[in-house]
Amino acid sequence: MRRHVVWLCVLALLGGLALVVIYRPIAHLARTAHDDRDEREPIEYGHVDDASRLNSTPVHRIERIMSDSENQEAVLVDLLAEARSSGRRVAIAGSRHSMGGHTIYPDGIILDMSGWNEMSLDLEDSVLNVQAGATWDEVIDLLDAHGLSVSIMQSNDSFTVGGSISVNCHGWQFGRPPIASSVRSFRIMLADGDVVRCSREENAELFSLALGGYGLFGIILDVALDVVPNELYEIDQRVLSTDEALRVFDDDLAGREGLSMLYARMDVTPDSLLDELILNAFFVSSGVPKTKAGSLEDGEPSNQALSELKRIIFRGSSGSDFGKSLRWDAESRLAPMVLGRTYTRNALLDEGVEILENRSAGTTDILHEYFVPREGAEAFVDRVRQIVTGHESDLLNVTVRQVETDEDTFLRYADGPMISFVMLFVQDRNESGEEDMVEMTRELIDASLDLGGRYYLPYRLHATREQFRRAYPRSDRFFELKALYDPGELFQNQFYRRYGPVADPKPAG
Ligand SMILES: Cc1cc2nc3c(=O)[nH]c(=O)nc-3n(C[C@H](O)[C@H](O)[C@H](O)COP(=O)(O)OP(=O)(O)OC[C@H]3O[C@@H](n4cnc5c(N)ncnc54)[C@H](O)[C@@H]3O)c2cc1C
């Protein structure tokens, strides 16, 4: 009898302890889910904004370019003629996920390219011919049905092809340069309405200027892109201290055959900031990848519930040290036990940004990216740790990738092999939030430049002109060449106003 009582007490104690241990995470996630409402206010009539939600600007008008209307190219020619004669500027927009007003010009004409999205596949030559407004999401749908995939793209599928090549994006495809290396050719409409084809052989200078050219040279109409097989990958996931990660990568991963995709995610819990990372390496596996349609027919569980859980864990880490440590535990310990070990390439690439986006009224998510030569990577992490802890903005995510040398674009960030650090901050949408972000961004840019690195251009325009020039030593020539191709400066945006020949010290963005 007495033994029973002791056992009951022990069980009650263990049960109580278990409740205490799981109560806090469950309560935290339940609260996050409850508060996760879409509070974003609609963009004011006659204005445009971008993914920063800090750039609302009145414009003359927005022209939606549609592929299904007749003679659309002739319509574009007329539109450029009208802009030239009325002295208006033209800014070009894809999905508007850049954050510095790169798609915006005050009182200008905004070309919304997102309806310009037809495509066809040349199976014999493994090339996709795609109009510039198509998003990766649409591209993957077509490629997947043919057992194919995108060669190089970002980590999400919400972006347009035109916006992606105009910033020269990169992703976590291992051992690959940025996207320009997978572009065979494109057609571009210049300021006078002429359409020219550009490739490494034809109009090669314009090819290198418009790739990563931020819409300053003309309207990219359509693009011929390399495509690759959709493969099945097996994940090799390890939790490592940041100090040992590069060594493990060199000794154990980089030389292994079949390494196709690679990224790491760093711990952002304040007490252990950037001390550890989860290294995710994807190796080609021998199985046959199912198509997206095939997976649905087989009745595979929908990813919906998993995506929602992922969102709640992620958003619950905003503004909460507990949420950050919960997310780290979930991703470093729980996820390897519950998630599958094989993935198709297309499943990895086919995820929209909306799954993780910030929907609150008072804050916004701001991306940064720094490229550092490998020998400076450890020192950069130390500098980031110091800088970030001295500022208000909340560091929500850091992923690390590797990018090979870019041989194609004029305004290049990867002029050698680089390790890239993508950082996501939550910023208050008010003056002090902005001031703090400006200061911190400049410190982070200096840290990268001092180590021979660069920073990425599609985000906020906080870099000083001097920092911009240091990071992009060919920028003066870039703008001289813009003046040759577009003497009337028809194509403009906030990026051009900030760093172009005539500086506007404070354009929105
Ligand atoms: C959540 C998130 C995740 C991201 N992840 C990555 C990543 O993994 N890797 C990476 O490299 N980047 C990443 N980015 C940055 C992203 O690649 C760029 O912002 C890209 O430009 C987005 O494409 P878009 O269609 O939204 O372009 P937009 O923002 O609409 O346009 C970007 C630039 O391209 C120009 N442009 C657009 N279409 C045309 C056209 N048809 N002709 C000429 N110029 C044109 C615009 O004028 C503008 O200057 C990310 C951004 C966000 C918000």
Side-chain angles (χ1 to χ4, degrees):
M1 174 69 187
R2 213 182 286 154
R3 247 175 118 181
H4 263 95
V5 173
V6 172
W7 271 113
L8 276 176
C9 289
V10 169
L11 279 177
L13 196 70
L14 285 176
L17 266 177
L19 266 180
V20 170
V21 169
I22 61 168
Y23 172 77
R24 195 168 174 208
I26 288 177
H28 177 79
L29 295 179
R31 200 169 40 248
T32 308
H34 176 264
D35 295 345
D36 188 34
R37 286 180 297 272
D38 194 344
E39 302 168 337
R40 292 169 295 186
E41 60 278 4
I43 298 171
E44 215 178 311
Y45 181 75
H47 287 55
V48 290
D49 204 341
D50 57 26
S52 69
R53 291 197 286 136
L54 296 168
N55 278 325
S56 181
T57 308
V59 295
H60 177 64
R61 70 177 196 268
I62 303 169
E63 283 285 341
R64 183 126 203 263
I65 310 303
M66 304 298 294
S67 22
D68 55 4
S69 58
E70 256 179 58
N71 296 326
Q72 189 56 257
E73 283 186 27
V75 171
L76 276 175
V77 171
D78 290 347
L79 205 144
L80 295 187
E82 180 217 312
R84 282 194 311 271
S85 64
S86 61
R88 291 207 189 278
R89 309 300 179 190
V90 174
I92 310 163
S95 299
R96 299 196 183 103
H97 280 292
S98 45
M99 294 185 166
H102 302 73
T103 55
I104 299 171
Y105 190 88
D107 205 26
I109 299 172
I110 310 299
L111 299 186
D112 171 355
M113 299 298 290
S114 57
W116 183 256
N117 59 358
E118 283 179 358
M119 61 191 103
S120 67
L121 194 51
D122 176 348
L123 287 170
E124 213 159 282
D125 209 14
S126 292
V127 66
L128 175 77
N129 296 298
V130 58
Q131 289 183 331
T135 57
W136 294 124
D137 169 38
E138 294 162 339
V139 166
I140 289 172
D141 272 351
L142 175 74
L143 295 184
D144 191 76
H146 291 86
L148 295 169
S149 183
V150 181
S151 175
I152 299 169
M153 61 177 267
Q154 302 89 332
S155 49
N156 295 91
D157 66 6
S158 312
F159 314 113
T160 61
V161 171
S164 300
I165 67 172
S166 297
V167 302
N168 194 24
C169 75
H170 72 99
W172 37 292
Q173 294 79 26
F174 175 69
R176 302 301 312 276
I179 191 172
S181 63
S182 69
V183 176
R184 293 200 191 172
S185 63
F186 56 81
R187 288 189 319 133
I188 185 168
M189 184 178 286
L190 302 175
D192 58 8
D194 274 1
V195 174
V196 293
R197 180 173 296 282
C198 300
S199 68
R200 287 171 189 80
E201 294 77 37
E202 209 177 342
N203 298 307
E205 182 182 70
L206 188 54
F207 181 79
S208 80
L209 288 162
L211 293 172
Y214 288 87
L216 296 176
F217 291 85
I219 309 163
I220 295 174
L221 298 171
D222 37 52
V223 189
L225 275 180
D226 286 337
V227 293
V228 295
N230 182 25
E231 294 169 320
L232 192 68
Y233 297 133
E234 186 156 354
I235 187 171
D236 178 335
Q237 187 176 69
R238 305 165 190 217
V239 180
L240 300 166
S241 79
T242 304
D243 295 341
E244 65 180 338
L246 278 176
R247 187 191 49 74
V248 170
F249 170 70
D250 283 341
D251 296 350
D252 215 10
L253 290 174
R256 257 167 64 194
E257 207 180 314
L259 178 56
S260 209
M261 311 271 281
L262 179 86
Y263 75 94
R265 194 181 93 60
M266 303 188 91
D267 185 3
V268 291
T269 313
D271 286 347
S272 47
L273 187 65
L274 311 183
D275 289 348
E276 286 191 308
L277 51 78
I278 306 167
L279 190 61
N280 298 293
F282 295 85
F283 288 88
V284 179
S285 150
S286 53
V288 180
K290 278 183 193 165
T291 59
K292 281 166 72 177
S295 308
L296 292 178
E297 276 161 23
D298 285 356
E300 284 189 359
S302 122
N303 284 331
Q304 183 70 19
L306 201 59
S307 297
E308 271 162 28
L309 182 63
K310 200 167 154 187
R311 172 174 177 82
I312 296 305
I313 293 176
F314 184 76
R315 293 311 328 172
S317 67
S318 168
S320 162
D321 293 0
F322 175 73
K324 288 189 175 63
S325 111
L326 182 66
R327 178 176 167 223
W328 177 251
D329 288 342
E331 290 182 0
S332 60
R333 295 189 204 162
L334 200 62
M337 289 192 276
V338 295
L339 294 181
R341 296 201 54 77
T342 54
Y343 301 83
T344 67
R345 180 182 179 95
N346 284 341
L348 291 176
L349 297 175
D350 199 17
E351 182 172 275
V353 295
E354 63 286 348
I355 291 181
L356 302 179
E357 73 192 351
N358 184 335
R359 296 172 189 156
S360 82
T363 63
T364 185
D365 287 2
I366 294 299
L367 272 163
H368 293 209
E369 183 165 0
Y370 302 94
F371 303 91
V372 184
R374 192 218 158 95
E375 55 281 10
E378 276 135 346
F380 183 68
V381 171
D382 289 339
R383 291 282 300 274
V384 172
R385 208 181 272 119
Q386 283 162 15
I387 293 168
V388 166
T389 36
H391 287 275
E392 299 297 316
S393 292
D394 184 19
L395 180 58
L396 206 56
N397 200 50
V398 181
T399 59
V400 189
R401 306 157 187 193
Q402 172 263 357
V403 198
E404 282 302 323
T405 310
D406 170 12
E407 310 276 2
D408 290 299
T409 70
F410 196 91
L411 204 61
R412 58 184 69 162
Y413 52 81
D415 45 4
M418 296 282 179
I419 307 274
S420 92
F421 294 85
V422 182
M423 300 175 198
L424 185 71
F425 293 92
V426 182
Q427 176 190 329
D428 287 340
R429 294 177 71 215
N430 56 30
E431 214 171 296
S432 70
E434 183 73 350
E435 275 167 15
D436 187 64
M437 182 60 81
V438 171
E439 233 177 83
M440 183 182 67
T441 308
R442 290 181 180 167
E443 289 171 32
L444 288 166
I445 292 174
D446 274 341
S448 167
L449 293 175
D450 291 348
L451 293 160
R454 306 269 179 265
Y455 72 97
Y456 198 25
L457 295 175
Y459 302 134
R460 304 283 295 149
L461 306 178
H462 297 328
T464 63
R465 284 170 69 86
E466 198 262 325
Q467 285 179 318
F468 171 70
R469 279 221 178 91
R470 263 181 86 194
Y472 293 90
R474 298 209 283 181
S475 56
D476 284 348
R477 184 69 188 139
F478 175 84
F479 290 123
E480 278 168 27
L481 290 167
K482 168 171 169 80
L484 285 182
Y485 286 97
D486 178 15
E489 296 180 296
L490 184 71
F491 297 110
Q492 291 206 38
N493 53 39
Q494 302 288 33
F495 169 73
Y496 184 70
R497 294 179 78 206
R498 173 89 172 101
Y499 300 110
V502 183
D504 178 344
K506 249 186 166 282

